[in-house]
Amino acid sequence: MADEARPGEPSPAADERPAVLIIGGLGYIGRFLALYIHRNNLASEVRLVDKVLPQLARLPPEFAEACSADKFMQADASREQSLSRIFSLQSGRHFSYVFNCGGETRYSQDPSVYAVRSTALTTTLAAYIAGLNPSPALVEFGTGMVYKPPSSSTVNAGGCSETAALKPWLKIAKAKLQAEEALEKLAREKSLKYVCLRLAHVYGEYDVGFLARGLCLARVYQGLNRELKWLWTKELRINTVHVLDVCNAAWKAAQWCTTHPPTPQSTMAERAFNIVDTGDTKQETLSTIVSKIFNIETGFQGSIVSAFAKMNLDNVVDDVNEEILQPWADMLKSKGLDGGQGSPLTPFMEKELLKDHSLCLDGKKAREALGWTVEREGLTEERVREILSSYERMRWWP
């Protein structure tokens, strides 16, 4: 890892390292960021804030020290009355970096849910930070789904840059864009130091997000001994980035943010960075990998079926879910994984995620401006097998 102290070298002095606050510190990115900071000895103090208690957060053993009770505070950072307590350190130090990993991560929720749990969280937190002296750098985690779905020429040219036209195609992305607009306003009016990371599909060990659904679906079709056919085309982009590369990018972004204060003319595009690997992951990539791992036939539905699906997506999704959810439940039960907390994994298909839109991002700006190096260049069979092994260690996988 780029920031790691080499063996034998002294760690940075405690009074020189930044104090770090991670909002949503027990979420997927938050916990990995805490682990990254812990392993690389990057911070003098770390505080993790989350609404969920550690005992309920399904933390794997390797996170125990990085996410220990002495670093944790249960609080809701979207409530203004909680912020003075969140930002108060017994040491008397001030936070230098604030990473906002919080917000609603479930899809297909009512827009009001995202307005409260995502947009309001960001705006309340940022307004408070802008009033602090000294004011810390805020790293906001956004999404690459804020861009207008790219044309084939844009895809062939390397994907959407940070200046591409904005037209969010998920409800969660609309809320994230509204949050970015609020940050832009605070930067211009109150000199808020912020940066926004527009993420591709994040994956890695213990992933329960986008990629996990595809793996669960493949497992069901393996059990049914049937061919798995994906909607749309093999060329549809589903760009990815490994969670550990996200953590490295976030740290680089925080450092950049402290040395690049905003101006009254600062724009969202200037302070946004696409965070994506260099592998240009597409549906064909994932299809080929799961075919090898699960030893099943895979393919694509073709234009006629896909055109029908586009016109009748609600019914198509309902039919698929009805077909796959019971076999999945039966698999979990047969392995004794349906008791206690059970498995957080599901093959449940979200209509929102099945849109015929490419997530295709150009990450050149982040690599050049932040000095960020992508260590895991793309989605591979080996990395997917690592994910499956992590599920098995946690007894999540049937």
Side-chain angles (χ1 to χ4, degrees):
M1 295 179 183
D3 298 289
E4 191 165 2
R6 290 177 172 78
E9 286 187 0
S11 302
D15 58 355
E16 293 178 357
R17 291 175 294 158
V20 172
L21 174 62
I22 305 177
I23 305 297
L26 298 184
Y28 186 66
I29 293 176
R31 66 181 62 180
F32 271 100
L33 182 58
L35 185 63
Y36 176 82
I37 292 169
H38 174 73
R39 284 178 172 171
N40 292 296
N41 203 20
L42 295 174
S44 59
E45 291 185 68
V46 176
R47 172 169 287 168
L48 311 178
V49 172
D50 208 298
K51 292 187 291 185
V52 176
L53 288 168
Q55 303 92 295
L56 303 176
R58 300 180 186 268
L59 286 171
E62 62 263 41
F63 293 87
E65 201 171 342
C67 302
S68 59
D70 62 309
K71 295 183 175 75
F72 176 75
M73 175 183 285
Q74 186 180 30
D76 182 352
S78 68
R79 296 168 63 88
E80 194 173 349
Q81 56 266 43
S82 301
L83 293 174
S84 61
R85 181 169 67 95
I86 289 171
F87 278 82
S88 176
L89 286 170
Q90 284 188 337
S91 64
R93 289 177 61 99
H94 300 285
F95 288 113
S96 298
Y97 300 159
V98 177
F99 297 93
N100 183 23
C101 309
E104 182 58 68
T105 57
R106 294 174 300 168
Y107 297 100
S108 305
Q109 304 298 301
D110 189 270
S112 63
V113 174
Y114 300 116
V116 172
R117 296 182 184 170
S118 294
T119 309
L121 167 63
T122 297
T123 52
T124 302
L125 179 65
Y128 186 85
I129 288 172
L132 294 176
N133 186 21
S135 180
L138 172 63
V139 178
E140 174 77 7
F141 289 84
T143 173
M145 296 179 194
V146 294
Y147 298 111
K148 180 181 179 181
S151 64
S152 56
S153 59
T154 300
V155 170
N156 293 334
C160 297
S161 71
E162 288 79 0
T163 56
L166 298 171
K167 188 179 180 182
W169 39 279
L170 292 183
K171 286 183 282 187
I172 197 169
K174 290 177 183 176
K176 288 288 189 183
L177 181 56
Q178 289 168 352
E180 280 199 57
E181 290 167 347
L183 293 174
E184 179 186 57
K185 189 169 186 285
L186 282 166
R188 289 178 171 180
E189 295 177 356
K190 298 190 176 181
S191 300
L192 173 74
K193 292 183 290 186
Y194 86 94
V195 64
C196 184
L197 306 184
R198 293 174 178 167
L199 304 174
H201 289 302
V202 180
Y203 74 96
E205 291 185 320
Y206 315 109
D207 172 39
V208 295
F210 173 81
L211 185 62
R213 293 172 193 268
L215 299 180
C216 294
L217 193 64
R219 177 67 184 93
V220 170
Y221 276 77
Q222 181 190 44
L224 297 173
N225 194 28
R226 288 174 49 190
E227 180 182 8
L228 173 56
K229 283 197 167 187
W230 310 87
L231 276 177
W232 324 128
T233 70
K234 65 181 183 180
E235 293 299 320
L236 186 75
R237 266 36 179 205
I238 50 170
N239 281 186
T240 53
V241 62
H242 196 281
V243 67
L244 294 178
D245 282 319
V246 171
C247 294
N248 179 251
W251 193 261
K252 296 284 189 186
Q255 292 175 319
W256 178 91
C257 194
T258 59
T259 57
H260 292 76
T263 69
Q265 292 76 41
S266 287
T267 64
M268 284 191 297
E270 288 172 15
R271 306 197 71 81
F273 293 93
N274 292 336
I275 304 302
V276 60
D277 63 32
T278 52
D280 193 27
T281 307
K282 45 192 173 183
Q283 286 209 137
E284 182 181 30
T285 314
L286 182 57
S287 177
T288 301
I289 290 171
V290 300
S291 178
K292 289 179 181 176
I293 291 176
F294 295 96
N295 194 28
I296 57 174
E297 292 291 323
T298 59
F300 296 87
Q301 293 287 8
S303 57
I304 295 175
V305 174
S306 292
F308 172 81
K310 189 178 290 189
M311 298 292 292
N312 301 275
L313 199 53
D314 282 345
N315 292 334
V316 170
V317 173
D318 287 345
D319 288 347
V320 171
N321 284 330
E322 190 173 329
E323 188 175 81
I324 61 177
L325 291 180
Q326 190 58 52
W328 176 255
D330 293 342
M331 286 178 182
L332 292 177
K333 188 173 183 179
S334 70
K335 294 291 183 72
L337 303 179
D338 59 340
Q341 282 191 310
S343 173
L345 301 172
T346 177
F348 182 79
M349 290 289 106
E350 296 278 4
K351 185 185 75 170
E352 273 201 314
L353 282 175
L354 290 177
K355 294 192 175 178
D356 185 17
H357 295 336
S358 279
L359 178 61
C360 187
L361 305 177
D362 183 341
K364 186 192 304 180
K365 179 184 171 187
R367 296 194 298 273
E368 292 179 353
L370 303 181
W372 173 52
T373 302
V374 180
E375 292 188 15
R376 297 147 198 90
E377 295 179 355
L379 190 67
T380 63
E381 181 182 344
E382 179 187 4
R383 293 190 184 110
V384 172
R385 289 190 184 278
E386 287 174 357
I387 295 170
L388 294 174
S389 294
S390 75
Y391 295 160
E392 288 169 352
R393 289 196 300 274
M394 296 294 288
R395 298 197 76 249
W396 291 351
W397 190 251

